[in-house]
């Protein structure tokens, strides 16, 4: 098993590229699974790690953990208060809008009771079409198949928010077994060698909870998504692993 790709580490935090298909930690969804991101990361760096936020099992990309419960609690609060900037890349069916804010309330999907009994919570996602492609193949009922590369910026943190919002808007993410369309998922898996959910967390930016600096993390795509981007002519949109730590901007004090 290959080591996890560590994107950033200091004495308080560690950020890692979570592979698609790997659960973050043990849960009711585990069903006999033996490999979890939290345990693998702990064993790799030889330190206990504390989760701060979540990514769905099939989603890949950047995740940050605290190296102490105190640092994790502070950063988790920043996530809860929407002080963290998040960006995702998604491959969707159809030609997505050039730019739009998706403002659809969502009911929680935590499995504790039927979704219909859960209250609808406010949820907003900004989306932007970065590129699109038209393939001369009949996948569904049309003689050509159109797909888009979308950047999604969730402004709230509901479960499966990006997947559900894009599906409700009519542009489901390829590889989404629950909210997508199986005929397109099959086409990408069998003909384009992309059997995974095509959603990746590519960027996180937040104020460090202990040190006076801002952390900006960019995360490259895995081999499957990178190869797909090459096939579709989207190489110019491939993100790279990078870390920037500009100082936190202080408010200007006006002199009387």
């Amino acid at each position: 098993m290959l080591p996890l790709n560590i994107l950033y580490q200091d004495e308080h935090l560690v950020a890692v590229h979570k592979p698609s298909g790997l659960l973050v930690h043990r849960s009711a969804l585990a069903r006999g699974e033996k490999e979890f991101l939290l345990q693998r990361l702990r064993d790799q760096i030889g330190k206990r790690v504390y989760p701060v936020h979540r990514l769905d099992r099939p989603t890949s990309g950047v995740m940050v953990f605290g190296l102490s419960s105190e640092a994790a609690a502070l950063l988790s609060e920043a996530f809860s208060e929407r002080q963290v900037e998040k960006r995702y890349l998604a491959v969707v069916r159809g030609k997505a809008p050039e730019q739009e804010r998706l403002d659809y309330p969502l009911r929680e999907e935590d499995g504790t009771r039927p979704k219909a009994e859960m209250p609808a919570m406010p949820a907003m996602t900004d989306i932007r079409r970065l590129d699109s492609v038209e393939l001369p193949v009949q996948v569904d009922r049309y003689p050509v198949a159109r797909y888009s590369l979308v950047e999604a910026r969730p402004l709230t943190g509901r479960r499966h928010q990006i997947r559900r919002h894009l599906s409700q808007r009519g542009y489901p993410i390829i590889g989404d077994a629950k909210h997508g369309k199986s005929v397109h998922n099959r086409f990408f898996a069998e003909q384009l060698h992309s059997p995974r959910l095509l959603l990746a967390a590519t960027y996180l930016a937040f104020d460090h909870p202990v040190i006076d600096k801002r952390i900006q993390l960019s995360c490259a795509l895995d081999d499957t998504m990178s190869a797909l981007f090459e096939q579709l002519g989207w190489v110019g949109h491939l993100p790279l692993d990078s870390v920037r730590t500009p100082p936190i901007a202080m408010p200007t004090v006006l002199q009387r």
Side-chain angles (χ1 to χ4, degrees):
M1 189 175 297
L2 294 175
L4 295 166
N5 181 18
I6 305 294
L7 300 170
Y8 173 85
Q9 184 175 355
D10 61 29
E11 60 182 310
H12 306 286
L13 306 174
V14 59
V16 63
H17 182 165
K18 184 191 92 66
S20 174
L22 185 63
L23 286 168
V24 174
H25 49 68
R26 297 182 188 277
S27 71
L29 301 175
R31 296 181 182 177
E33 292 289 333
K34 297 181 180 178
E35 290 292 332
F36 303 91
L37 177 64
L38 192 146
Q39 283 77 20
R40 281 183 58 182
L41 180 58
R42 175 199 62 197
D43 294 345
Q44 181 170 322
I45 67 175
K47 295 181 179 180
R48 186 172 180 180
V49 295
Y50 299 81
V52 171
H53 60 122
R54 64 173 181 258
L55 282 181
D56 299 338
R57 178 177 186 166
T59 304
S60 65
V62 58
M63 284 200 73
V64 63
F65 293 83
L67 294 178
S68 68
S69 58
E70 294 80 10
L74 290 170
L75 192 51
S76 181
E77 183 178 357
F79 272 88
S80 298
E81 295 182 357
R82 306 180 192 177
Q83 297 172 354
V84 177
E85 183 182 353
K86 298 176 280 187
R87 299 180 202 163
Y88 293 72
L89 289 180
V91 180
V92 306
R93 187 190 74 194
K95 189 167 184 179
E98 184 175 342
Q99 192 163 326
E100 192 170 319
R101 172 163 291 181
L102 307 183
D103 187 357
Y104 308 137
L106 297 173
R107 298 183 187 276
E108 187 57 270
E109 293 182 329
D110 62 2
T112 59
R113 52 179 169 158
K115 191 168 72 172
E117 298 179 5
M118 304 293 280
M121 306 294 289
M124 288 190 296
T125 306
D126 284 342
I127 63 169
R128 181 166 65 102
R129 187 183 72 241
L130 302 180
D131 218 326
S132 60
V133 66
E134 183 175 284
L135 303 180
V137 294
Q138 184 168 355
V139 177
D140 207 337
R141 61 184 183 274
Y142 303 106
V144 296
R146 296 183 179 90
Y147 302 98
S148 298
L149 173 62
V150 169
E151 179 188 76
R153 300 189 183 200
L155 305 180
T156 52
R158 309 303 173 202
R159 189 181 298 270
H160 300 167
Q161 176 174 311
I162 297 173
R163 295 161 63 177
R164 295 165 70 186
H165 268 174
L166 283 167
S167 179
Q168 287 185 27
R169 183 61 179 82
Y171 303 96
I173 300 175
I174 301 300
D176 191 337
K178 185 173 183 180
H179 306 287
K181 196 165 186 181
S182 59
V183 64
H184 292 278
N185 296 347
R186 246 189 338 266
F187 171 70
F188 270 74
E190 296 173 0
Q191 303 300 321
L192 299 179
H193 313 292
S194 296
R196 54 156 294 187
L197 175 73
L198 296 179
L199 177 65
T202 56
Y203 180 84
L204 275 182
F206 54 88
D207 292 344
H208 196 290
V210 180
I211 304 170
D212 188 26
K213 65 180 179 181
R214 187 157 180 84
I215 307 293
Q216 299 174 346
L217 302 172
S218 177
C219 183
L221 301 180
D222 62 15
D223 291 343
T224 296
M225 288 190 71
S226 295
L228 176 68
F229 276 37
E230 292 183 14
Q231 290 183 76
L232 299 181
W234 295 345
V235 174
H237 299 290
L238 284 170
L240 301 174
D241 288 342
S242 69
V243 179
R244 293 187 64 232
T245 56
I248 298 175
M250 301 299 292
T252 303
V253 178
L254 298 178
Q255 300 292 328
R256 288 184 177 271

